[in-house]
Amino acid sequence: MRNCQVALQPRVPRQVGRNKPISPRSELDGWIIYYWHLGFPDTKIADHVLDHFDRAVYGLSYKSVQRIRKILKLKGTVQQAATFDTITEIYKVIRGRFPTMGARRMVTVIRQEYSIRVPEKLVNDFLRHVEPEAVEKRKRGRFKRRRFWSAGVMEYWSIDQHDKWGRFGLWLHLGIDPYPGRFAWLKVWWCNRNPRLLIHYYLEAARKIGGIPLLTMSDAGRENNGIANMHTLVRHQLDPSLHDTLQHRFCTDKKNIKSEIGWSQFRAQCAPGFEDLFDFGVNNGLYSPSDPLENLVFRWLGIPWLQAEIDKWMNMYNSSYRRANKHKTLPHGIPDLIHAKPERYKSQNFQIMISTELFDEMQQEWAPHDDPVFQLTPTSFHNQANNHYGSLGRPAVSRGTFWDIYNALLACFQQDPVNATLEEEFNLANLGADQGMDLLPGFRQLRLGDEVVGDGVVLHGAYDEADFTDSEMEEPAYAAEFTDDEAE
């Protein structure tokens, strides 16, 4: 018998599309999952996934996406074949969290949190069946147009505080990139007017993306001077040509438009469920924000849970489409994608890259981590609360359990001898809540409509506004994303 030898050849990756192999599954699957949860069809998933790989080396067809989706058990809308029964229990959970959420946002939540694709028409029909009056009420809300111009991604961040939860001892703050309409941060804390706290929000958001905007913008207020000062000095350090200008715009007469729209979206979609929950406790004598012990127990238990819920909503908001608007000339699309891939939207990214070392210097100088404002509660109280919470079995906090856990935790403190210095510690912990900061002198302040020059970039900004109705309805809120309109 004749002996034959077969030379072993190196394994060649499976060829797809134009004889290009797909990228390794260990790197590929995560991006397919990400874009599937954004609601993209297979052809669009394939196209966007390749942005993360070398297109000269790798290829990806929509057929390959279909095959991998099947392995990952990511079914399409038709394959899901959802019915009213599919979404009934999910609807109850979502409605508990978001009492006023409309069909379009609900479709996004179901897809992103439950990995179920359902048609918007099915959800619309379901809502008309179970809450017809609420649907009609959402349809009646309307926004009046306000004009907004922006040059590109990361031209600036617009920042603003929100005080409507002060009755609960909770204070909110946001930063938003106006061009894509993307939240850079949305935070809840026991104060929102300490400059070091706001600087920390800025630095935390900037670290995540590796850079800072050209400018910052806010309403007038001493609490905003911290970000204005720090941002200005860093910009001067990186671009000495800006030496005589404050790299922050102070808005007057309610012209901080995008922040106002951001708060309107939050109040329409996310806030009502939490307001109902906390109002129940205040109105029924369970919680008094002015009582030091009750305030600290509420703060210790509520803020971490509430921030996690707000983060979920913010991520959903940043990763979902806005309602189409023919008057809007800024990009239509998902804010996260406009930020990450501005070239796909014929846009420019003005982000200024910052080294880790410079971020560390900024943090240490302007918002050191050992500042008391970053403590949720005094250390001694935290240790005691943590022990009591452990004795309760560390139950999971949710809308349905919050007040029960709060009452049990409060009872633990009331049964033990209360720290005699508790009220003193409470007062000390809140000393810096409203601490302001002076604006650096000697810099020319930028006004709306000023020409901005730096880093070889010339930008022009302008505003024109009409009345704005702060509707609580979710669906019309999409129409509030008005931006650069046609000239009058």
Side-chain angles (χ1 to χ4, degrees), residues 13 52 60 70 213 230 265 281 313 346 392 449 479:
H52 305 278
L60 184 66
K70 184 175 181 180
M230 181 197 67
Q265 298 277 310
W313 178 84
K346 300 179 181 180
L392 297 174

Side-chain angles (χ1 to χ4, degrees), residues 39 52 76 320 390 481:
H52 305 278
S320 58
E481 287 291 324

Side-chain angles (χ1 to χ4, degrees), residues 159-161 173 192-193 195 198 217-229 248 250 437 439:
I159 65 176
D160 196 24
Q161 66 273 355
H173 198 272
N192 65 1
R193 295 182 182 274
L198 308 190
M217 170 183 282
S218 72
D219 294 328
R222 295 185 72 240
E223 69 278 0
N224 297 316
N225 291 345
I227 287 180
N229 289 341
H248 182 93
F250 286 103
M437 182 180 291
L439 196 64

Side-chain angles (χ1 to χ4, degrees), residues 145-187:
R145 183 174 303 165
R146 301 182 80 170
R147 177 173 295 177
F148 182 88
W149 292 6
S150 181
V153 173
M154 293 291 283
E155 179 193 359
Y156 52 79
W157 278 347
S158 175
I159 65 176
D160 196 24
Q161 66 273 355
H162 189 66
D163 300 334
K164 287 184 170 60
W165 282 7
R167 66 185 187 274
F168 309 130
L170 300 172
W171 308 86
L172 295 141
H173 198 272
L174 68 73
I176 193 168
D177 183 344
Y179 188 82
R182 175 183 178 271
F183 281 99
W185 69 83
L186 180 54
K187 298 290 186 179

Side-chain angles (χ1 to χ4, degrees), residues 24 83 102 106 118 130 273 279 298 307 384:
T83 64
M106 196 170 289
V118 296
V130 299
D279 274 328
F298 179 87
Q307 185 63 64
Q384 195 172 356

Side-chain angles (χ1 to χ4, degrees), residues 25 28-29 32-33 36 42 45 60-76 79-80 117:
R25 286 282 306 280
L28 184 65
D29 288 5
I32 290 177
I33 293 171
W36 183 90
D42 293 332
I45 291 175
L60 184 66
S61 68
Y62 78 94
K63 286 290 187 181
S64 294
V65 172
Q66 287 180 345
R67 176 178 57 82
I68 295 173
R69 276 202 301 107
K70 184 175 181 180
I71 296 171
L72 297 174
K73 298 182 179 180
L74 298 175
K75 295 181 179 180
Q79 294 170 319
Q80 293 278 3
R117 283 194 172 187

